[in-house]
Amino acid sequence: MTASSTFGLSSEARNLHWLLSNLVDEVPGLLSVAVVSSDGLLLLSSDPEQNVGPTAPAVRQDGPKGSSADLATIVSGLASLTQGAAKLMDGGDVKQTMIAMESGSVFVMAISDGSLLGVHGSPDCDMSVVAYHMALFVGRAGHVLTPELRSELRKSLESAL
């Protein structure tokens, strides 16, 4: 990603785009990645249709078109369900949710501010590698994902539509 591809974005927003690009580039088998706000709004996506042209992180082309928008909806619903279950079971905060399916996997990890990182992986992805890299992303992104940055990311997505 070049400086011109993130023109107009704050350094924090550019950094978050870079972190997402690295996640997608470094982990084999990722089909779609989404950062979702605590209220379920898509903030950042690996899906080129959800980001402004050249600011979109690279994405594997074998994922379904528009899959990050769908992933954001799924992530939000799963987070609500698991948080409700944890509350009923006096389990504390939900840190991670993993769903292994016959044809893929879905991973959801909480970011410190209540935002969520969601990943859709291919059937052959290494779940431990995905979880490890998600934890790295959350550790690096959690402290910069402020209310101001969430607002900036949301506005940049809205202007792209």
Side-chain angles (χ1 to χ4, degrees):
M1 186 178 307
T2 65
S4 63
S5 69
T6 56
F7 179 76
L9 295 178
S10 67
S11 61
E12 291 85 4
R14 289 191 310 270
N15 186 37
L16 208 54
H17 275 272
W18 181 82
L19 287 171
L20 186 70
S21 291
N22 276 354
L23 176 65
V24 171
D25 290 342
E26 291 178 9
V27 182
L30 297 189
L31 302 175
S32 183
V33 180
V35 175
V36 182
S37 67
S38 59
D39 54 358
L41 298 174
L42 182 62
L43 297 176
L44 192 61
S45 164
S46 65
D47 193 1
E49 286 80 20
Q50 299 298 322
N51 289 313
V52 181
T55 64
V59 66
R60 310 271 185 258
Q61 292 302 315
D62 49 356
K65 184 177 179 184
S67 59
S68 292
D70 292 340
L71 180 61
T73 302
I74 292 164
V75 165
S76 181
L78 284 172
S80 179
L81 179 65
T82 57
Q83 288 166 358
K87 185 175 180 180
L88 286 172
M89 296 177 188
D90 293 325
D93 292 334
V94 177
K95 298 188 183 290
Q96 182 177 17
T97 303
M98 295 173 40
I99 301 172
M101 302 171 286
E102 189 174 306
S103 297
S105 302
V106 174
F107 307 82
V108 179
M109 193 171 286
I111 300 176
S112 64
D113 69 341
S115 297
L116 303 160
L117 173 63
V119 171
H120 176 208
S122 66
D124 60 344
C125 75
D126 184 331
M127 293 174 75
S128 62
V129 170
V130 173
Y132 172 76
H133 282 276
M134 287 178 71
L136 289 177
F137 179 94
V138 166
R140 293 172 181 155
H143 68 282
V144 298
L145 201 50
T146 62
E148 296 80 18
L149 182 55
R150 288 191 305 270
S151 177
E152 177 184 357
L153 292 170
R154 186 67 198 149
K155 286 176 184 173
S156 73
L157 276 177
E158 287 171 356
S159 67
L161 299 177

